Amino acid sequence: MKITDVRIRKLPDEGKMKAIVSVTFDEEIVIHDIKIIEGAESLFIAMPSRKLPNGEFRDIAHPINSDARKKVEDAVFAKYEEIINEPETQETEPVQG
């Protein structure tokens, strides 16, 4: 399965959650709500999950093995680096003359 699209919605810098991600596979399947979170030493991704009645969280969708997880992480972090390094576009007032 090949990753064919990664879409990132960057969040305000105040919290530990930095972005929400959607990853598309083979232009046919998408996983929404992957989170980029700032950990103690580095960023990591958290797969979409739901809260169980006992208070624990269980992933709804996740990679089956470490190689698949690495592919998803690499694609997500590459796209995240791309968007955080883009120059911010500043809106300017129209010049009246």
Side-chain angles (χ1 to χ4, degrees), residues 46-70:
M47 298 302 291
S49 62
R50 64 185 167 111
K51 190 173 185 178
L52 300 176
N54 66 2
E56 293 181 19
F57 286 87
R58 169 139 315 144
D59 287 349
I60 295 169
H62 60 87
I64 297 295
N65 57 49
S66 59
D67 289 338
R69 176 170 276 281
K70 178 142 178 48

Side-chain angles (χ1 to χ4, degrees), residues 32-97:
H32 296 290
D33 296 332
I34 298 171
K35 297 167 187 71
I36 298 177
I37 299 173
E38 182 180 2
E41 296 182 20
S42 63
L43 295 174
F44 66 92
I45 63 170
M47 298 302 291
S49 62
R50 64 185 167 111
K51 190 173 185 178
L52 300 176
N54 66 2
E56 293 181 19
F57 286 87
R58 169 139 315 144
D59 287 349
I60 295 169
H62 60 87
I64 297 295
N65 57 49
S66 59
D67 289 338
R69 176 170 276 281
K70 178 142 178 48
K71 287 179 188 175
V72 172
E73 286 176 343
D74 289 350
V76 167
F77 289 138
K79 187 67 171 186
Y80 182 70
E81 287 295 320
E82 184 181 310
I83 67 159
I84 64 169
N85 290 323
E86 286 179 349
E88 301 255 345
T89 56
Q90 296 183 2
E91 294 185 27
T92 58
E93 296 284 325
V95 177
Q96 297 185 11

Side-chain angles (χ1 to χ4, degrees), residues 7-24:
R7 296 184 185 229
I8 296 183
R9 182 169 46 101
K10 193 169 179 279
L11 300 175
D13 289 333
E14 292 91 48
K16 293 201 178 279
M17 190 171 2
K18 300 301 178 188
I20 304 292
V21 183
S22 295
V23 178
T24 304

